[in-house]
Amino acid sequence: MLRNTVIILLPLFLFAQTEPTKDLHKNRPKVWTLTNAMIHTSPGDFIKDGSIVIRNGKIEAVGRYIKSPKDAYEINLQGAHVYAGFIETWLETESYNSKSKNERRHWDSKVRPEYRSVDNFDIKEKHIKELRSLGFTTAHLAPKQGIFRGQTGIVNLSKSPKTINSSVAQVIDFKYQPKGKRTYPRSLLGVIAHIRQTFYDSEWYLKSQEIVQSYPAENRPLASNFSLESLGLTRALEKPFAFISSDDNSASRLMNISKEFKLNPWILGSGYEYRELNQFNQLKPFFIMPIDFPSKPSVTKYMSDLQYSTAELKHWDVAPDNLSYLNRAGHDFSITSHRLSKKSEFRKNLEKIIARGLSKDIVLAALTTQPAEALGLEKSMGRVAKGYDANLVIVDGDYFKPTSKVVSLWIEGEEIYIASKKTPSFLGNWSLKYNGSAYELKIEDILKNRTNDPRNIVYKGSILFQGKTVELYNIDIFESSISFTIDGQNIGQKGSITFNGELTKSQIIGTTKNLGNESLPFQADIKISTVGKELEPESPSSLSVFSPDGAYGLFKDYPQPNAILINDATLWTCGPKGTLAEWDILFVGGKIEQVAPDITVPQGSAIVIEGAGKHVTPGLIDCHSHSAASSINEGTQYITSEVRMKDVLDPTDINIYRQLGGGLTTANVLHGSANPIGGQNAVIKLRWGADANSLLFKGAPEGIKFALGENVKQSNWSGTNRYPQTRMGVEQVIRDAFRAALDYKHENDNYYRNSKYQRTKVPPRKDLELDALLEILEGKRLVHCHSYRQDEILMLTRVAEDFGFKIATFQHVLEGYKVADRIAEHGAGASTFSDWWQYKYEVIDAIPYNGSMMAKSNVIVSFNSDDSELARRLNTEAAKAIQYGNLDPNEALKLVTINPAKQLKIDKFVGSLEPKKDADFVIWDGEPLSVYSKVEETWIDGIRYYSKTENKILEDRDEQLRKDIIQKVLSIKGGTGTNTSKSINSKMYHQGHNCDILDNTGVYNE
Amino acid sequence: MNKSILLIFTFSILLSNDQIPGKEQKRPILLKGGILHTVSTEVLEGYDILFSKGKIVRIEKNIMASPETDVYDVFGKHIVPSYIAPLTRIGLVEIGLVRQTHDFAESGSINPNVKANVSYNPDSELIPITRSNGVLIANSVPAGGRVSGQSSVMMLDGWTWEHATLKHPSGLHINWPAMSIKYGKNIKKSEKKQREEIQKSIRELDDMVRDVRAYFQIIKQRDRLSKDRQKVDLRLESMIPFIVEKKGIYIHAAEARQIISAVDWAKENDLKIIIVGGADSWRLTDFLVKNNIPVILDKVEKIPARRFEPIHLPYKIPYLLQKGGVQFCLSTRIGYPHDGNIRNLPNEAMRAAAYGLEKSEALRSITLSAAEILDIDDMVGSLDIGKDATFFISDIPPMEMNPKILMAFIQGREVDLNNHQKMLYKKYQEKYRRLGQINQ
């Protein structure tokens, strides 16, 4: 039946107004007056005992002393509350046939901006009924699949849903292929690059189209592409782009895209907005907010709390306050029931939000006026006012009390019945009078259901008689009638006695039947319950939000002293001065001011650190890291120079903090090694607590990851035949890429040198991939190449020289010691492991002397981690060059300070303790190369990001915090829903190793 | 006949190509005037140590050598018992990603019958590279499935696996079922279902114990009860030493609930177990002490298991275990890409020493404690009379960085300390010497 309904609905949907009549004419009356209602005309305004006149689907009049027109039929809504129909701001349509290929569409079926969700309205009747029962009369319909998912539209939720607007916004989701599939894009990296390229393509397409039309003689006809056209038009019309946000990091990513392409962003909220409010200040997006709160953590069993991270525990407590945070920050938002698997949670969660302090008016606005305005419906929806659509919600009480019921909806002047008016509840304690005796009757709900929705109650009852509890059985309750049976013997009578009664207000009156089939009257009166509500009163979370949230997060800004002086310390300058015992160093304004045997400053003008017995080194630099990144490899194509690590930085990665604790201040965050030409790297400073964009090392030259050997040949897993499969092919792929880049350059140069061309000819398409390759050839982008064997190292130096550029670093480069002379001659750096070997065939000749041998052959050598753990003890990794190869300790320390700085071309900022450089330094309690020395403080730009004492404070704070939250969890009654929370499970051993490890998609990270 | 230790060192290098196993000790050897890190007692400075036929015979001051004794002056040098790596795949894997070189995981889930030492490759390149850093003894451990197989303690020198085996079996290895319940939107299985699956896995282990005991019951009777002759079951048969004779069973378990569950299982079934991994063992020190359960701690230099744990916690776990009275030893990590890092065992111990553990305790945690847990402390683990002459000579004390291992003996056989990597080092130094670039 349901299916039929849906099928019948479709044509109605599309042709309602013009369709011929099929049988007798149906013309229901269209003039009504609703009277005696509490009318909530708009958030904050209401009319008591008011009337509404509806005519032809519109509201004709609203007010307290309105006279009902003569032709209107009056409906008395005594005691009811009336609201403007609610707008469901996110309703996803189910189906889209992505298989239908059409060359006029975008090559990627996940890019379909031309698709309109209203064309595939396929919501099951059941779901529409659910939405109506919550008071929604209108829905903002969104497409469900893809990256550019398509266009949203607006429909009403009447019995024959009608399209109100077929194109409102474009929807963008950072969604990539699940593992297993090998089509681009298969990572967040790829998705973001793909989105950017598609925007550029649509710009190019519109421009080209214009030129072709104006100058048909000068150009070949342009292949029509309505995906690009549609996207271009959406932007030209300045329609909104709705982004799907899924975690704490989504905000910065979607804001970056919005800024780059000047979009008007909407956000389908993740629930974590409270953690990233500062991201939204500039563009003020409109938020569509689901209210699916995490379920109560399951912490009762011994040690079971260990599987929740502190951030997850906190989120459980703070999530219901998310909207208040948005509200306080001055953001506009609507509330949607989207993502609630049980729609019955919707009103309970609204109640929770209100109980925690968000005003009812704001919540009502989020269901009515806010979405109406965002959707451009502010003149027809969202208010109960003259001239507005007659979309009304009739509730038998205050909507925001979950016990009140939505009785009916009016949608464009037609009433849709939802539920009968409030049926009085049988639950509670009654004083039962029967046969001359008084008893206590108790009726309860086994499930302790809070909504009191009679359909969800499982009744249980008992009679208390002379201190004895007698169970009721055969309890049958329907609407206002009740029947039950008791065993008469328990109250001193024979046989079983059946009670049949009717409830009126607070009294049940009826008759009993006993064994002898004789009837006796009984009466039960409700006892006013003196017991308060079982629920704890809701109050806003008292937890402060850290940055990033959870363990070790910051809750206040770092102090920024103007000047810091360290006295009498051993300074390992890593510069020409070498190591200086009992010297002073002064930092001013985030820079190194002076290094001298004795520095004095006016008292109080600088923080003075007594350095006696302490050692100071430059902040350590890791030239090969995969920490602080949400995505490592886009492994589907062999050239992915368009993807950028800076798009996927993850400032919440706890390894940032842990590595600060090991003295690390700068890291080269690299793309993985799946492709001969991988993605663009990001050099970051470990500014724990900052947002993604602020992690970037300003002034660091851009770079890119290359890779050679087994990984790019995909030798170590089966079932692939991607080109290349040999080192011979790898060389060709790289040459081919650079030749293509040169062709591209030629094409562009030709075009942009000729002003006539620019006017009359289709411009060359902007290609992000080739742009990056060109930058390499122009020396603007540094190449960091994963490599192992001497042959491939030698090969790449020759290829680079043929194209006239230099390789900045060879990474890993475990056979570098075999061709150190060539590396030095070419001028590349070598960033290697201290002593890794054995893990794959191409490292068969790896030796721990590699670093020291290359260093002695005039190669600039660094030791890197490629591993989140190793990165926090690079000092002792450097020391291994003393054990293997007998490097001088000063030179050994340079492997993790000035040398990687030189390799990354950031040595004018960092890497040594020399005046004018950044105040990035580490204070150690002993010799920095010793395993027995520990980091006391780590500073970046003159700000102390880590200290031993502060660390202890944070540890204690977090321990207490966990205890408090767990106490709170335990103090709350009620079961734990298990399957409703998002990613609540904290994995043990959150993967720290990146090197060469197959990630879950079967691609190397190294 | 006095020789200089330096001479011997150079001599070994010249002699070696692919490293040749050391000669059986024919003549007694006396090392004079060394600093003896006995581990079992205090450091003995300026003592002589005499060993003969592979065993330590005397540790005294000023031992007078008989004429047939070779005497070396090791004045100021440090004599340290072999580091013992309790958890490795040495000999069972050559190259991490080359499947053809993998012999550590048999197919299927229950493999108690497979033995590590029979597929130990005595010519693996890992052996000379590992022992050049003083790790002369390693437990080679099968992996995979629920019951992985039997491990063998190997001496890192020898012509054949038989020659190299110090002890077999050193134990049976079981991977404890994961005990955590997964929550979240993407988890399809209900909590109840997950609990049932966990219980089922443990019940299977219970059944296994019962079956082994029943099997044993029949076969020990079989002469008299020939009509019910038990047909062979290699798996059950192979577990008799562990289940009936209560030799050590190594339970690989990291998380708290796994450890608790494993110990409860052992108590119920009256078995002797050792916890391997033990990331959460520090949370359970009283429990472990009460039940007398030792721990082989999987790595010190690692990141905390959980985001909210103190950032240096893994470095401190050895100290916390020691303070809590738990018997423990340290290991490097097995599995790709770590299998080659056995040589860094002393680094793990030093890291522990940097975070609370006494250096002497750190040394013990990779020597005598490991020997005790592996039940080989009658042969190795300390410098004591009667034990194997399996130790090395170093220029600096153990638990100090960047030592040079000058000489090493396994059961009195002098071990070649050269290896593939040192040879490549020499080879390419020659390249740069010829280019006139270096005088390194």
Side-chain angles (χ1 to χ4, degrees):
Chain A
M1 269 319 283
L2 201 63
R3 206 93 221 119
N4 285 343
T5 333
V6 172
I7 291 164
I8 291 163
L9 282 178
L10 278 172
L12 280 175
F13 191 65
L14 296 168
F15 307 111
Q17 278 141 31
T18 51
E19 199 183 19
T21 308
K22 282 190 184 121
D23 53 28
L24 297 180
H25 288 85
K26 275 181 192 156
N27 286 311
R28 296 182 62 198
K30 292 191 170 164
V31 192
W32 309 88
T33 304
L34 313 181
T35 61
N36 288 324
M38 172 74 153
I39 305 167
H40 299 266
T41 51
S42 65
D45 277 329
F46 59 88
I47 300 169
K48 237 180 153 178
D49 295 328
S51 302
I52 304 167
V53 180
I54 299 170
R55 187 182 295 277
N56 290 329
K58 287 278 180 184
I59 295 169
E60 191 177 72
V62 186
R64 182 146 192 193
Y65 304 108
I66 290 176
K67 222 180 152 193
S68 177
K70 291 222 164 96
D71 54 350
Y73 185 84
E74 270 187 46
I75 300 174
N76 186 351
L77 292 180
Q78 183 68 51
H81 288 236
V82 179
Y83 302 84
F86 300 156
I87 300 168
E88 170 55 289
T89 32
W90 199 265
L91 176 60
E92 289 187 350
T93 47
E94 309 259 331
S95 66
Y96 171 74
N97 184 3
S98 61
K99 278 180 193 139
S100 63
K101 266 267 174 195
N102 183 330
E103 61 199 17
R104 290 167 58 219
R105 284 200 187 127
H106 194 271
W107 60 266
D108 179 3
S109 65
K110 295 183 294 300
V111 177
R112 45 191 180 98
E114 76 285 2
Y115 171 69
R116 302 188 309 179
S117 54
V118 292
D119 293 344
N120 250 318
F121 186 78
D122 190 14
I123 311 287
K124 291 199 178 99
E125 183 68 19
K126 193 180 108 187
H127 292 143
I128 295 185
K129 277 187 172 162
E130 267 179 346
L131 292 176
R132 286 194 205 120
S133 74
L134 298 176
F136 290 114
T137 58
T138 310
H140 179 227
L141 204 63
K144 198 174 187 178
Q145 290 150 24
I147 295 170
F148 284 89
R149 288 184 176 186
Q151 300 164 35
T152 64
I154 302 168
V155 294
N156 71 23
L157 296 176
S158 64
K159 285 187 174 153
S160 38
K162 186 174 88 176
T163 305
I164 294 166
N165 185 342
S166 56
S167 173
V168 176
Q170 288 280 354
V171 181
I172 298 183
D173 189 5
F174 298 117
K175 192 174 177 62
Y176 41 91
Q177 285 291 339
K179 56 182 169 183
K181 294 243 175 125
R182 294 202 170 270
T183 50
Y184 181 87
R186 206 184 52 178
S187 66
L188 185 61
L189 277 164
V191 169
I192 295 177
H194 193 38
I195 291 172
R196 295 178 62 236
Q197 181 69 57
T198 305
F199 273 123
Y200 284 119
D201 284 351
S202 78
E203 282 172 12
W204 167 83
Y205 181 81
L206 286 198
K207 190 176 175 197
S208 303
Q209 216 176 25
E210 215 178 286
I211 290 175
V212 171
Q213 274 162 15
S214 311
Y215 302 93
E218 312 274 332
N219 291 287
R220 288 196 308 172
L222 196 66
S224 162
N225 186 316
F226 51 64
S227 297
L228 296 178
E229 182 169 305
S230 192
L231 183 61
L233 285 175
T234 313
R235 284 182 68 200
L237 295 170
E238 294 181 351
K239 287 189 185 177
F241 280 78
F243 288 88
I244 316 287
S245 171
S246 56
D247 57 33
D248 336 24
N249 285 324
S250 301
S252 66
R253 290 166 193 156
L254 64 91
M255 288 321 234
N256 283 345
I257 291 173
S258 298
K259 280 175 204 157
E260 182 173 3
F261 297 100
K262 300 191 174 57
L263 308 178
N264 164 20
W266 283 5
I267 295 175
L268 177 68
S270 61
Y272 296 104
E273 281 67 24
Y274 64 92
R275 295 181 181 172
E276 41 184 5
L277 287 170
N278 56 352
Q279 296 290 338
F280 309 125
N281 293 340
Q282 248 179 304
L283 289 181
K284 290 271 176 195
F286 177 68
F287 291 89
I288 297 170
M289 297 303 298
I291 50 171
D292 54 332
F293 304 140
S295 58
K296 199 168 95 170
S298 157
V299 296
T300 42
K301 299 213 171 57
Y302 186 50
M303 299 266 176
S304 62
D305 61 294
L306 292 177
Q307 61 188 341
Y308 296 95
S309 75
T310 310
E312 286 163 340
L313 289 173
K314 283 187 77 181
H315 184 58
W316 165 77
D317 197 35
V318 182
D321 297 334
N322 193 33
L323 293 178
S324 295
Y325 277 94
L326 280 177
N327 183 50
R328 276 199 298 273
H331 294 294
D332 293 336
F333 56 87
S334 67
I335 296 176
T336 170
S337 73
H338 179 64
R339 288 201 192 128
L340 277 176
S341 45
K342 275 196 225 144
K343 297 287 179 200
S344 59
E345 303 273 312
F346 183 71
R347 290 179 59 198
K348 278 192 238 172
N349 287 355
L350 289 182
E351 185 196 27
K352 187 179 254 190
I353 292 167
I354 292 164
R356 280 170 170 242
L358 191 64
S359 83
K360 276 184 197 175
D361 294 341
I362 304 270
V363 174
L364 183 58
L367 294 167
T368 55
T369 48
Q370 288 279 11
E373 197 168 318
L375 297 170
L377 301 168
E378 69 277 11
K379 298 228 167 78
S380 58
M381 288 188 202
R383 291 167 201 276
V384 186
K386 189 180 167 187
Y388 275 66
D389 289 355
N391 290 350
L392 303 171
V393 189
I394 316 293
V395 188
D396 66 0
D398 179 357
Y399 178 80
F400 298 109
K401 287 211 175 85
T403 46
S404 327
K405 268 189 301 210
V406 175
V407 178
S408 71
L409 298 183
W410 290 76
I411 300 178
E412 293 192 27
E414 291 231 17
E415 185 173 25
I416 299 175
Y417 169 81
I418 305 291
S420 64
K421 285 192 188 155
K422 189 187 271 178
T423 45
S425 168
F426 284 96
L427 298 178
N429 293 324
W430 305 79
S431 72
L432 173 68
K433 294 193 187 80
Y434 155 66
N435 203 7
S437 309
Y439 308 85
E440 192 167 319
L441 171 67
K442 191 175 172 188
I443 298 174
E444 38 188 348
D445 177 12
I446 294 178
L447 301 178
K448 303 240 183 297
N449 198 299
R450 281 180 49 211
T451 58
N452 293 357
D453 181 343
R455 284 169 302 183
N456 296 338
I457 296 178
V458 178
Y459 289 100
K460 180 183 172 235
S462 58
I463 283 178
L464 193 66
F465 175 66
Q466 292 173 355
K468 226 173 16 178
T469 305
V470 184
E471 293 291 316
L472 312 184
Y473 52 100
N474 293 340
I475 301 177
D476 184 358
I477 288 172
F478 179 72
E479 304 257 305
S480 62
S481 68
I482 184 168
S483 66
F484 57 85
T485 312
I486 57 166
D487 191 344
Q489 281 175 355
N490 290 322
I491 56 169
Q493 297 185 27
K494 278 181 195 161
S496 46
I497 307 167
T498 301
F499 290 71
N500 268 298
E502 280 288 324
L503 176 64
T504 49
K505 282 197 173 171
S506 54
Q507 198 171 52
I508 307 170
I509 295 176
T511 53
T512 63
K513 269 185 185 157
N514 65 8
L515 196 61
N517 223 10
E518 56 179 325
S519 267
L520 281 174
F522 78 90
Q523 180 188 332
D525 294 287
I526 188 83
K527 284 184 169 175
I528 302 303
S529 171
T530 49
V531 188
K533 260 194 161 180
E534 255 186 64
L535 285 167
E536 296 282 315
E538 281 282 342
S539 55
S541 170
S542 56
L543 305 175
S544 35
V545 178
F546 306 155
S547 179
D549 214 358
Y552 299 101
L554 301 166
F555 60 99
K556 53 173 195 243
D557 288 340
Y558 295 101
Q560 301 199 20
N562 180 50
I564 308 119
L565 173 65
I566 305 177
N567 279 326
D568 302 326
T570 304
L571 307 181
W572 296 65
T573 65
C574 295
K577 284 183 172 158
T579 298
L580 311 162
E582 292 183 33
W583 270 48
D584 295 357
I585 183 163
L586 176 68
F587 308 91
V588 176
K591 301 277 176 193
I592 299 169
E593 178 76 12
Q594 200 186 350
V595 179
D598 241 317
I599 304 171
T600 45
V601 289
Q603 188 138 30
S605 66
I607 291 185
V608 179
I609 299 171
E610 288 310 326
K614 291 178 184 168
H615 294 246
V616 180
T617 67
L620 307 189
I621 300 170
D622 185 357
C623 199
H624 190 131
S625 169
H626 300 291
S627 300
S630 304
S631 174
I632 307 294
N633 257 311
E634 175 55 54
T636 51
Q637 297 176 350
Y638 61 76
I639 298 173
T640 52
S641 45
E642 72 281 11
V643 309
R644 311 184 296 186
M645 294 310 291
K646 72 174 174 191
D647 293 333
V648 298
L649 288 178
D650 175 10
T652 71
D653 185 354
I654 187 67
N655 287 309
I656 297 173
Y657 182 75
R658 291 173 179 157
Q659 290 167 16
L660 278 170
L664 196 73
T665 55
T666 298
N668 182 23
V669 182
L670 286 166
H671 184 272
S673 57
N675 315 327
I677 298 180
Q680 305 173 21
N681 58 308
V683 180
I684 62 166
K685 285 202 184 184
L686 274 60
R687 301 186 182 100
W688 177 241
D691 64 15
N693 294 343
S694 313
L695 287 179
L696 290 170
F697 191 126
K698 288 188 189 65
E702 298 262 321
I704 191 166
K705 176 78 172 286
F706 274 34
L708 309 171
E710 288 179 14
N711 292 7
V712 304
K713 298 190 300 157
Q714 308 196 323
S715 327
N716 292 315
W717 64 93
S718 57
T720 72
N721 54 0
R722 186 185 80 170
Y723 194 94
Q725 290 285 306
T726 63
R727 286 183 170 82
M728 301 186 289
V730 174
E731 190 236 17
Q732 286 299 301
V733 158
I734 293 170
R735 283 187 186 276
D736 183 61
F738 284 124
R739 295 291 290 272
L742 289 172
D743 286 345
Y744 174 70
K745 179 181 161 60
H746 182 75
E747 200 184 351
N748 269 286
D749 288 351
N750 246 356
Y751 183 82
Y752 289 105
R753 259 190 228 123
N754 186 324
S755 58
K756 189 185 164 224
Y757 279 2
Q758 287 178 55
R759 208 171 56 246
T760 62
K761 279 200 172 271
V762 168
R765 173 178 163 268
K766 181 178 175 62
D767 188 319
L768 295 174
E769 181 177 301
L770 295 172
D771 281 345
L773 294 177
L774 267 186
E775 285 163 12
I776 298 170
L777 295 176
E778 289 161 359
K780 291 186 219 155
R781 185 169 289 285
L782 305 178
V783 174
H784 304 290
C785 185
H786 159 116
S787 55
Y788 285 109
R789 266 182 22 191
Q790 61 149 307
D791 47 43
E792 59 195 23
I793 297 163
L794 175 58
M795 173 277 284
L796 194 67
T797 62
R798 295 300 182 205
V799 171
E801 283 164 16
D802 286 353
F803 285 94
F805 70 95
K806 260 191 214 173
I807 303 299
T809 67
F810 285 98
Q811 297 285 328
H812 309 325
V813 61
L814 292 185
E815 287 192 9
Y817 69 95
K818 296 185 180 177
V819 285
D821 48 330
R822 175 82 269 263
I823 297 173
E825 187 184 39
H826 178 75
S831 181
T832 185
F833 293 131
S834 62
D835 62 351
W836 285 55
W837 72 293
Q838 185 276 339
Y839 47 96
K840 60 204 300 202
Y841 187 72
E842 63 189 352
V843 303
I844 188 90
D845 277 358
I847 65 174
Y849 310 90
N850 187 36
S852 51
M853 276 185 94
M854 289 191 290
K856 288 174 186 173
S857 298
N858 304 320
V859 177
I860 292 175
V861 179
S862 65
F863 278 2
N864 66 52
S865 76
D866 195 4
D867 173 298
S868 299
E869 204 284 320
L870 243 170
R872 62 199 197 128
R873 48 186 171 89
L874 279 179
N875 59 324
T876 49
E877 285 302 285
K880 284 180 182 165
I882 304 172
Q883 178 170 7
Y884 304 106
N886 216 7
L887 213 60
D888 170 77
N890 276 303
E891 292 304 309
L893 186 62
K894 286 181 184 174
L895 297 173
V896 293
T897 54
I898 188 67
N899 288 5
K902 285 178 181 165
Q903 292 176 340
L904 296 168
K905 313 274 187 279
I906 49 174
D907 50 316
K908 63 178 171 209
F909 305 112
V910 293
S912 60
L913 300 178
E914 293 177 86
K916 307 269 185 303
K917 288 199 180 185
D918 295 354
D920 292 10
F921 60 96
V922 188
I923 304 175
W924 308 78
D925 65 0
E927 291 213 1
L929 291 171
S930 167
V931 67
Y932 296 108
S933 302
K934 295 190 190 81
V935 172
E936 294 206 326
E937 299 183 6
T938 305
W939 294 68
I940 298 173
D941 301 328
I943 296 172
R944 195 177 68 184
Y945 279 85
Y946 172 88
S947 82
K948 231 163 138 178
T949 38
E950 195 69 26
N951 181 55
K952 182 79 179 86
I953 291 168
L954 292 176
E955 255 174 41
D956 294 345
R957 177 201 71 178
D958 291 343
E959 204 185 320
Q960 190 58 44
L961 184 63
R962 286 184 70 83
K963 278 187 194 152
D964 292 347
I965 301 174
I966 288 166
Q967 263 314 306
K968 182 165 181 185
V969 175
L970 293 174
S971 74
I972 285 176
K973 291 170 195 155
T976 42
T978 45
N979 285 324
T980 52
S981 70
K982 2 182 175 191
S983 71
I984 202 75
N985 192 43
S986 140
K987 275 189 214 121
M988 200 165 178
Y989 291 114
H990 181 71
Q991 192 52 264
H993 279 283
N994 285 310
C995 173
D996 241 337
I997 289 197
L998 290 164
D999 68 15
N1000 55 13
T1001 55
V1003 175
Y1004 288 104
N1005 284 339
E1006 188 185 343
Chain B
M1 184 172 64
N2 270 3
K3 298 177 185 173
S4 148
I5 181 141
L6 200 66
L7 194 90
I8 296 295
F9 183 54
T10 337
F11 181 68
S12 342
I13 292 219
L14 290 178
L15 186 100
S16 58
N17 35 40
D18 210 359
Q19 293 72 44
I20 299 170
K23 285 183 185 155
E24 294 302 321
Q25 187 183 9
K26 297 258 171 58
R27 293 159 59 91
I29 299 174
L30 177 65
L31 304 178
K32 287 193 72 69
I35 302 163
L36 273 56
H37 297 263
T38 63
V39 181
S40 53
T41 58
E42 71 268 41
V43 177
L44 306 174
E45 247 186 286
Y47 271 66
D48 298 350
I49 180 167
L50 177 71
F51 53 103
S52 173
K53 293 178 188 151
K55 298 278 183 195
I56 298 170
V57 188
R58 287 172 70 184
I59 298 176
E60 281 161 40
K61 281 198 167 173
N62 303 321
I63 298 173
M64 297 300 291
S66 63
E68 66 272 21
T69 302
D70 290 339
V71 182
Y72 299 100
D73 180 6
V74 295
F75 179 77
K77 303 282 186 285
H78 298 263
I79 304 181
V80 186
S82 163
Y83 297 146
I84 299 172
L87 180 66
T88 75
R89 289 180 185 168
I90 200 157
L92 306 183
V93 56
E94 195 61 29
I95 295 166
L97 280 182
V98 180
R99 191 177 175 271
Q100 290 86 336
T101 70
H102 294 182
D103 285 294
F104 50 81
E106 195 39 78
S107 74
S109 169
I110 309 290
N111 290 301
N113 47 319
V114 302
K115 297 174 278 194
N117 62 344
V118 300
S119 65
Y120 173 87
N121 171 15
D123 289 323
S124 165
E125 289 294 349
L126 277 84
I127 294 167
I129 286 171
T130 300
R131 72 188 178 206
S132 352
N133 280 14
V135 182
L136 310 175
I137 304 282
N139 192 26
S140 187
V141 178
R146 179 68 64 225
V147 182
S148 314
Q150 300 171 24
S151 55
S152 315
V153 178
M154 309 305 293
M155 295 177 279
L156 300 191
D157 191 50
W159 293 103
T160 64
W161 63 261
E162 278 183 314
H163 190 205
T165 301
L166 181 67
K167 185 186 179 186
H168 180 85
S170 59
L172 180 71
H173 289 260
I174 295 180
N175 296 307
W176 203 253
M179 304 288 292
S180 60
I181 305 289
K182 294 186 177 72
Y183 304 104
K185 268 196 170 157
N186 301 326
I187 306 300
K188 297 263 156 33
K189 281 181 189 155
S190 69
E191 183 174 341
K192 184 160 169 274
K193 176 94 181 145
Q194 292 185 55
R195 288 193 192 289
E196 280 168 6
E197 282 182 8
I198 293 169
Q199 274 168 2
K200 183 164 168 263
S201 315
I202 295 170
R203 199 170 53 241
E204 279 168 5
L205 290 168
D206 284 333
D207 291 350
M208 194 177 80
V209 171
R210 195 191 58 192
D211 288 354
V212 172
R213 289 193 169 132
Y215 187 90
F216 179 69
Q217 184 83 20
I218 295 185
I219 60 167
K220 77 177 175 192
Q221 307 285 347
R222 74 179 161 214
D223 292 340
R224 275 169 281 161
L225 287 171
S226 56
K227 69 171 180 177
D228 275 334
R229 185 173 177 276
Q230 170 70 39
K231 288 186 182 167
V232 71
D233 186 317
L234 285 184
R235 290 187 172 88
L236 295 179
E237 191 176 273
S238 69
M239 284 188 276
I240 291 172
F242 309 101
I243 302 228
V244 179
E245 295 157 29
K246 291 181 205 166
K247 288 192 175 162
I249 298 176
Y250 294 78
I251 308 271
H252 294 244
E255 191 245 353
R257 282 171 293 178
Q258 279 183 302
I259 297 173
I260 295 167
S261 158
V263 173
D264 290 344
W265 175 81
K267 264 197 291 188
E268 254 166 57
N269 290 296
D270 190 23
L271 300 168
K272 183 191 167 200
I273 66 162
I274 296 114
I275 294 292
V276 183
D280 274 345
S281 55
W282 64 279
R283 297 178 186 275
L284 300 164
T285 51
D286 292 347
F287 175 74
L288 292 169
V289 169
K290 199 179 107 203
N291 292 291
N292 198 17
I293 308 288
V295 173
I296 297 176
L297 187 66
D298 171 28
K299 249 182 117 55
V300 177
E301 296 184 324
K302 61 186 176 190
I303 49 178
R306 302 179 183 87
R307 184 186 169 102
F308 57 86
E309 287 177 345
I311 59 172
H312 294 122
L313 175 64
Y315 300 166
K316 285 179 192 154
I317 293 176
Y319 166 68
L320 296 173
L321 292 179
Q322 198 251 341
K323 198 173 75 170
V326 178
Q327 186 187 17
F328 74 97
C329 66
L330 306 181
S331 84
T332 50
R333 182 159 285 177
I334 51 170
Y336 170 87
H338 307 284
D339 286 314
N341 296 335
I342 311 167
R343 63 173 165 191
N344 288 339
L345 183 63
N347 301 51
E348 306 281 347
M350 282 191 281
R351 188 68 63 178
Y355 283 83
L357 206 61
E358 290 291 323
K359 281 185 188 172
S360 60
E361 286 295 332
L363 175 61
R364 194 183 204 283
S365 72
I366 56 169
T367 56
L368 189 53
S369 296
E372 286 164 355
I373 291 170
L374 296 171
D375 197 16
I376 48 172
D377 54 320
D378 55 333
M379 298 179 279
V380 291
S382 60
L383 300 180
D384 280 308
I385 292 163
K387 288 199 182 184
D388 291 358
T390 302
F391 51 75
F392 62 87
I393 303 170
S394 161
D395 63 337
I396 58 171
M399 301 300 103
E400 294 300 334
M401 293 176 79
N402 308 328
K404 286 195 175 48
I405 309 296
L406 306 171
M407 245 181 150
F409 296 91
I410 293 178
Q411 291 186 337
R413 306 190 293 273
E414 194 199 337
V415 176
D416 186 347
L417 290 174
N418 199 6
N419 61 40
H420 177 64
Q421 298 182 343
K422 288 179 181 170
M423 286 155 67
L424 282 167
Y425 180 41
K426 291 246 168 291
K427 174 176 169 185
Y428 281 91
Q429 275 184 315
E430 184 58 25
K431 174 181 172 183
Y432 300 111
R433 192 171 290 119
R434 287 182 196 175
L435 286 170
Q437 278 191 353
I438 51 153
N439 40 7
Q440 49 179 286

